[in-house]
Amino acid sequence: MSEDSPIQIDALTETEVLYLDFDPLLLQQENGCPYRMRVTANLLREMGKGALFLNQKMRILAQNRLRNRIKVYLQGLPIASNGEIRLEMGRGEMADYLCVDRSALSRELGRMQKEGILTYQGQVVHILDSEFLSA
């Protein structure tokens, strides 16, 4: 049974589309393909990553203050023992991800630096106030 997808993708160049029927992967079959479990595991892993990404994004966008959005974003990144966090994106990309204006993001990071919460240089942030991320 075929259903129309609510997702539409426009290709910028000539593209070949591969349609996959996932029913055989999800249905129990005695004489299935030996790679079925690997493909199923990979599919579920990618779906899980997507769900985690969307959950994190919802947590960020639910914050009513920019400082709280920054905090939730930083909490989701690995922190080195010296308090260093390497950002996954540049300032413009981070502003887009947090759904804020780039200048507002820069202004708030500057305030946080003046208040002794963090310092930043490019894509490296040092957390100075360990309480900031724990609350």
Side-chain angles (χ1 to χ4, degrees):
M1 181 167 98
S2 175
E3 293 183 27
D4 289 338
S5 173
I7 299 170
Q8 177 181 336
I9 299 174
D10 295 324
L12 297 176
T13 61
E14 188 172 322
T15 304
E16 202 170 311
V17 177
L18 173 65
Y19 290 98
L20 298 174
D21 181 10
F22 288 105
D23 287 341
L25 293 174
L26 303 174
L27 300 174
Q28 294 292 331
Q29 295 178 356
E30 291 287 325
N31 298 325
C33 174
Y35 300 106
R36 181 173 60 102
M37 290 303 291
R38 178 186 271 173
V39 172
T40 302
N42 289 344
L43 175 64
L44 292 174
R45 185 179 306 109
E46 289 304 313
M47 288 173 58
K49 284 180 187 177
L52 287 174
F53 172 82
L54 291 175
N55 185 293
Q56 177 73 355
K57 185 81 171 187
M58 284 183 359
R59 285 186 59 230
I60 288 170
L61 296 180
Q63 305 303 311
N64 57 354
R65 296 182 60 222
L66 175 53
R67 183 169 295 203
N68 292 338
R69 287 185 182 192
I70 295 168
K71 178 180 176 177
V72 171
Y73 171 68
L74 293 176
Q75 285 173 335
L77 298 176
I79 304 171
S81 58
N82 64 353
E84 182 179 289
I85 299 174
R86 289 201 158 278
L87 301 177
E88 300 170 335
M89 52 189 83
R91 192 75 45 86
E93 293 170 306
M94 185 175 166
D96 289 342
Y97 182 74
L98 299 176
C99 296
V100 297
D101 186 64
R102 187 181 187 282
S103 61
L105 175 62
S106 294
R107 192 170 40 251
E108 187 62 31
L109 287 171
R111 284 186 195 130
M112 293 168 75
Q113 187 164 299
K114 284 180 186 173
E115 293 173 21
I117 295 171
L118 54 78
T119 61
Y120 61 92
Q121 181 72 32
Q123 289 183 255
V124 178
V125 175
H126 279 75
I127 303 299
L128 303 174
D129 181 1
S130 58
E131 296 294 314
F132 174 69
L133 293 180
S134 62

